[in-house]
Amino acid sequence: AQKVTQAQTEISVVEKEDVTLDCVYETRDTTYYLFWYKQPPSGELVFLIRRNSFDEQNEISGRYSWNFQKSTSSFNFTITASQVVDSAVYFCATAQGGSEKLVFGKGTKLTVNP
Amino acid sequence: KAGVTQTPRYLIKTRGQQVTLSCSPISGHRSVSWYQQTPGQGLQFLFEYFSETQRNKGNFPGRFSGRQFSNSRSEMNVSTLELGDSALYLCASSFNSGDGYEQYFGPGTRLTVT
């Protein structure tokens, strides 16, 4: 069975600080996908990124970057120069290859203070 | 393109009643999934539909059911409501980009059972 662990329940930072959200996953599948979603107070889950298990390249999108390491089963998310608008709950998730069923971690609540 | 829409956004029901929630996927998306989000259990997969067929089902009692129509719109139904059914119900529509599925979520329906 798949499992995602987000050990950080809550993180609080001051604006402009860099912050890394940790994600550790468990799966027996050789083909799988990893995701990050952002959930602002409005409740909607906003898709941030999807990674497949064969692509360990790091990804950067503006202030966001992701580090995927199969050796440690981790898919960490870093926000550089955080802003108040980054305040939200962030979820890491995994899915088996060919499946649309997402297995989510418990989420990390990020608060960015001005 | 318009995003995923869910109706109603808020709902208050009494124990024992039943409820029907609706989801309209992004135009062109043929797959719809449903998730339940509660503070205690987090985000849990309910079921997934593709071309009017249920392809996957989560570990929920039979009181939870769903269906999909020919226009890809989906409904989920919860019968004999219990207090523990109070949750945010999220619908996601997805498409296969050729490198796996990408799921986009609606704003959710917040159900309160009293």
Side-chain angles (χ1 to χ4, degrees):
Chain A
Q2 301 158 292
K3 183 180 177 182
V4 174
T5 301
Q6 295 180 255
Q8 304 149 308
T9 306
E10 292 193 41
I11 299 176
S12 182
V13 299
V14 177
E15 211 171 14
K16 297 185 183 177
E17 279 187 40
D18 298 347
V19 57
T20 295
L21 309 182
D22 297 332
C23 172
V24 174
Y25 64 92
E26 295 176 32
T27 182
R28 294 180 182 176
D29 302 296
T30 53
T31 303
Y32 54 90
Y33 295 88
L34 299 168
F35 304 79
W36 276 95
Y37 284 88
K38 174 183 179 180
Q39 187 175 43
S42 60
E44 183 173 346
L45 281 170
V46 178
F47 172 85
L48 295 178
I49 190 172
R50 184 200 67 211
R51 223 54 188 149
N52 75 54
S53 52
F54 299 108
D55 184 2
E56 284 191 76
Q57 280 192 341
N58 291 336
E59 175 130 356
I60 298 174
S61 176
R63 296 184 297 108
Y64 294 171
S65 63
W66 291 269
N67 180 261
F68 174 26
Q69 291 196 349
K70 288 177 78 170
S71 61
T72 56
S73 297
S74 65
F75 187 44
N76 297 336
F77 173 31
T78 298
I79 302 175
T80 302
S82 59
Q83 300 176 1
V84 173
V85 293
D86 295 327
S87 297
V89 181
Y90 291 85
F91 291 93
C92 181
T94 187
Q96 291 176 304
S99 172
E100 298 181 55
K101 176 186 173 183
L102 293 170
V103 174
F104 286 90
K106 294 293 188 184
T108 296
K109 182 178 181 181
L110 174 65
T111 301
V112 181
N113 298 297
Chain B
K1 280 185 180 179
V4 179
T5 58
Q6 291 187 247
T7 57
R9 292 293 311 278
Y10 302 91
L11 206 49
I12 300 175
K13 289 287 188 178
T14 305
R15 268 183 306 175
Q17 288 186 314
Q18 74 165 17
V19 66
T20 299
L21 311 181
S22 181
C23 171
S24 292
I26 294 170
S27 177
H29 289 192
R30 294 167 62 191
S31 176
V32 172
S33 299
W34 289 89
Y35 293 80
Q36 180 196 65
Q37 185 177 25
T38 59
Q41 299 300 315
L43 280 155
Q44 294 184 286
F45 172 79
L46 279 158
F47 26 63
E48 177 226 325
Y49 288 88
F50 178 82
S51 293
E52 303 177 65
T53 301
Q54 187 181 89
R55 287 203 300 196
N56 211 341
K57 189 177 189 307
N59 189 25
F60 278 83
R63 300 186 297 107
F64 291 81
S65 62
R67 59 177 176 168
Q68 186 180 34
F69 302 95
S70 58
N71 61 358
S72 295
R73 191 177 68 85
S74 177
E75 288 182 347
M76 68 162 281
N77 183 277
V78 188
S79 62
T80 319
L81 284 165
E82 301 176 358
L83 294 178
D85 297 333
S86 294
L88 179 66
Y89 290 88
L90 292 161
C91 167
S93 78
S94 65
F95 74 99
N96 193 327
S97 66
D99 179 34
Y101 293 97
E102 291 187 8
Q103 293 199 36
Y104 296 89
F105 285 81
T109 294
R110 187 164 294 281
L111 171 65
T112 302
V113 182
T114 61

